[in-house]
Amino acid sequence: MIKYNKKIIAGVIFLSLTFTGCNEILDEEPRTNYTVEYFNTEQGINQGVTSLYRHLRMLYGNGYFMSNCQNGTDESTFGQQADGNFKELDMSGNGNITPSTFPPSMVWNSVFPYINTANGIIEKGPSFGIAESLISEARFFRAFDYFLLVQTYGGVPLDLGSGELAFNIAPSATSVRNTVPEVYSKAIFPDLKKAIENLPASPRVTGGVTKNVAKLFLAKAYLTYGWWLQNPNDIPTYPEAARTDPDGHNAQWYFQQAYDIALEGINNPGPYSLQPTYYDVNVGSNDRNSECMLYADHTSSSSYYNESDPVGFGSGWSPDNFAAWMQTWNYTNIKSSKSSTTWDAGSSVQRAATQTLGRPWVRMCPTIGVIKNTFADKTNDSRYDGTFVTSYRGNWNKEATGLTNIPVLYNANNLPVQPNDPILTFLNDDSQTPTYPSGAGQSGVGAGTLPGRADWVIAPNGISRMVFPGLWKIGTYRTDNGNGLGFPNAGLTRPFNAAKFSEFYFIAAEAAVKGASGAMSARDLINVIRARAGKWKFNNAQNVTYTADNSAAMIAATPSTITIDYILAERSREYYGEFYRWYDLVRTQKWQEYAATYQIGGSNYGDHTPQTVTRTIQKFHYLRPIPQSQLDAMEVSPDIKAKYQNPGYN
């Protein structure tokens, strides 16, 4: 089965995770290793539960997992500084996804040790008098991990070496994959149902799992399985299995169950609720708000509990949160002049630990279609402004910039700019045509000018793999910058969300489109989300408080008949950059239709001509390959290894 080192059989190296807020703290003693012997103690069981929360950090906030979830879809493509971890996922002739491609292997290689930890808690917990409410936290995470696995690879092993769903302490070099129906019916559904029965309505610790968190994932699992049973586009599964349910239900039954459970979650929210505005959901000062149901948490107060130095140089690897870096371009190359008479270039936008800036890695970028089509309404709908950075403002007055005492610089059209003025702006539409330079130009980044404007400008058709709107919603947030630039190179100390209350509405709406019925129609449900999107509290582009209620206009613009396509468009507007898109397109079997082509500019400053790129997405790609590392660890014959791999990747 899955091969483990006995010293870390329970899947944990560093066990403690901080939780702050009104509830108690997970205060178990951190340990540097976690042996089987220690797991045979009550304290070991309790710390095993803590480790299950910690393991969210292995994926959520990891920039390479972001590539797995977003690159190659209609949302993103590779950026100018991308390597094979991003180019291969783009499916556009810059390499192929193989068993050795890293990002698709991350789910497999991350979660099995923690599944085994959950197995141990469930198996051993009762003998130590551990309450079923705590054991059900382990049931939830085991289901959570198997749900992620089955969506990514198809059928996966339930037996890790000691029997199905049993705690394994003996390393094994063989493995047998269960089918998709078996994984759902034996692991995911029973664990989530049991968790719903026994988890508390309110979390025992801040960020802890509850009945409603389990309901969200059960509803989504039912929805996903219903699609799998229906299989409208004849997408292959592996290991091969009939599209029939062991419990005798059809796809429609599962869609109705998904709808009913999602409505239960909405009508009995417990401590969760929608935030008043989209800005409130995503602004760093309001992290861990009532809409955030599950997240990989971090802290700026302790290197020990954060598992990295919150003021150091981030590693660019888990457990750090560094996903925002991937889709941040090198805005630090933007130039203004220190002189009004001769061009004396200086860096007017410097690297800073703020939500609009942060550390630039340029590994990914949005497609032009995202800016022009997905977020076409930038006036009524607040979500474009609440997702992207479109205005890069001067910060040369901060301490240690080398320009601190210079009150005025000169920018586009040789016009004066002051600190906090917009230095470069991404325009909302293509109604105006900027005059672009050849190459980098005076702006240093190939940006253009418009008459009378002091800011450099780039139109939507002019974004490229090199220069593009950054990703504000998951960007850096700190409170210790003082009057300086802060610590922009450290891993983010914000939580990275894995589940939001808003998704109940999307799950129920999608199930309704698939035939489920109840008190709220698909349009009713989507309009709750759209009405909220029409409410503004702050305008990021203008950097000003801005109160507006465009909810009536948003509702009026909603089509009378909601389709899967409309739901997918709304999901992209709501969750862009949050690791949903590939799974959404795979579930609904729309990946090839949506992502077969895209437009983006080139990889050099001054490249503003959209290029149409074609991707090769075949049906077998709807499953990721089993990692080569797994196959290499199996001591079986070559033909068994070949049969273990998903078809198309041998």
Side-chain angles (χ1 to χ4, degrees), residues 389-612:
V389 182
T390 59
S391 179
Y392 288 81
R393 295 177 175 271
N395 64 355
W396 70 87
N397 61 315
K398 298 296 183 181
E399 294 174 358
T401 65
L403 302 172
T404 304
N405 297 319
I406 299 178
V408 176
L409 295 178
Y410 298 87
N411 208 52
N413 297 306
N414 208 38
L415 292 172
V417 289
Q418 297 178 341
N420 210 39
D421 282 349
I423 305 301
L424 184 148
T425 300
F426 289 93
L427 302 175
N428 280 347
D429 56 49
D430 292 305
S431 60
Q432 297 173 286
T433 303
T435 299
Y436 292 116
S438 175
Q442 288 185 329
S443 72
V445 295
T449 59
L450 287 173
R453 291 186 62 149
D455 53 340
W456 307 111
V457 294
I458 296 175
N461 264 338
I463 71 167
S464 66
R465 298 190 191 277
M466 179 69 91
V467 182
F468 47 85
L471 196 49
W472 177 83
K473 71 191 298 187
I474 62 170
T476 300
Y477 172 74
R478 303 187 69 103
T479 59
D480 56 359
N481 290 349
N483 194 43
L485 299 172
F487 304 98
N489 296 314
L492 278 67
T493 55
R494 299 181 67 184
F496 196 97
N497 292 311
K500 289 180 173 178
F501 183 74
S502 55
E503 199 175 8
F504 274 129
Y505 292 88
F506 285 100
I507 292 168
E510 188 174 321
V513 170
K514 297 299 288 181
S517 61
M520 297 181 74
S521 69
R523 191 174 190 274
D524 295 334
L525 291 154
I526 288 298
N527 269 339
V528 173
I529 300 298
R530 285 181 54 78
R532 193 268 297 274
K535 296 178 180 179
W536 293 67
K537 179 178 182 178
F538 191 87
N539 187 308
N540 280 319
Q542 300 299 319
N543 195 34
V544 294
T545 299
Y546 173 66
T547 302
D549 186 351
N550 302 321
S551 55
M554 292 290 290
I555 290 171
T558 306
S560 57
T561 301
I562 303 299
T563 64
I564 291 299
D565 291 324
Y566 193 78
I567 287 174
L568 287 172
E570 280 294 312
R571 286 187 68 92
S572 190
R573 285 186 277 270
E574 190 75 17
Y575 300 123
Y576 183 93
E578 297 185 56
F579 299 11
Y580 286 85
R581 194 59 171 176
W582 185 76
Y583 290 100
D584 287 347
L585 296 181
V586 166
R587 178 182 68 255
T588 58
Q589 302 190 353
K590 292 278 190 176
W591 182 23
Q592 197 278 336
E593 177 185 339
Y594 275 50
T597 64
Y598 65 92
Q599 286 192 316
I600 193 66
S603 295
N604 298 304
Y605 289 131
D607 286 349
H608 297 295
T609 301
Q611 302 171 0
T612 299

Side-chain angles (χ1 to χ4, degrees), residues 151-229:
Q151 292 175 90
T152 308
Y153 306 104
V156 294
L158 299 177
D159 181 354
L160 306 186
S162 297
E164 289 189 352
L165 304 179
F167 182 53
N168 181 44
I169 63 172
S172 176
T174 62
S175 180
V176 176
R177 294 173 62 182
N178 290 81
T179 64
V180 168
E182 289 172 337
V183 176
Y184 276 108
S185 63
K186 293 183 177 183
I188 298 170
F189 297 153
D191 274 351
L192 289 174
K193 289 177 184 177
K194 189 79 169 178
I196 291 168
E197 289 176 7
N198 293 285
L199 286 172
S202 295
R204 69 179 178 90
V205 292
T206 300
V209 295
T210 63
K211 290 182 183 295
N212 235 16
V213 175
K215 284 180 182 178
L216 179 71
F217 282 91
L218 182 59
K220 193 168 186 178
Y222 280 152
L223 178 70
T224 305
Y225 187 53
W227 276 101
W228 184 89
L229 288 171

Side-chain angles (χ1 to χ4, degrees), residues 100-168:
S100 297
T101 303
F102 175 68
S105 74
M106 292 179 68
V107 174
W108 187 284
N109 289 331
S110 295
V111 304
F112 275 113
Y114 293 96
I115 287 174
N116 198 43
T117 297
N119 289 345
I121 294 166
I122 295 164
E123 183 178 304
K124 295 175 177 291
S127 64
F128 292 103
I130 303 296
E132 177 56 43
S133 59
L134 192 64
I135 294 172
S136 282
E137 293 186 30
R139 296 187 194 279
F140 168 81
F141 279 110
R142 183 167 70 178
F144 177 92
D145 285 342
Y146 269 121
F147 184 41
L148 194 54
L149 282 164
V150 79
Q151 292 175 90
T152 308
Y153 306 104
V156 294
L158 299 177
D159 181 354
L160 306 186
S162 297
E164 289 189 352
L165 304 179
F167 182 53
N168 181 44

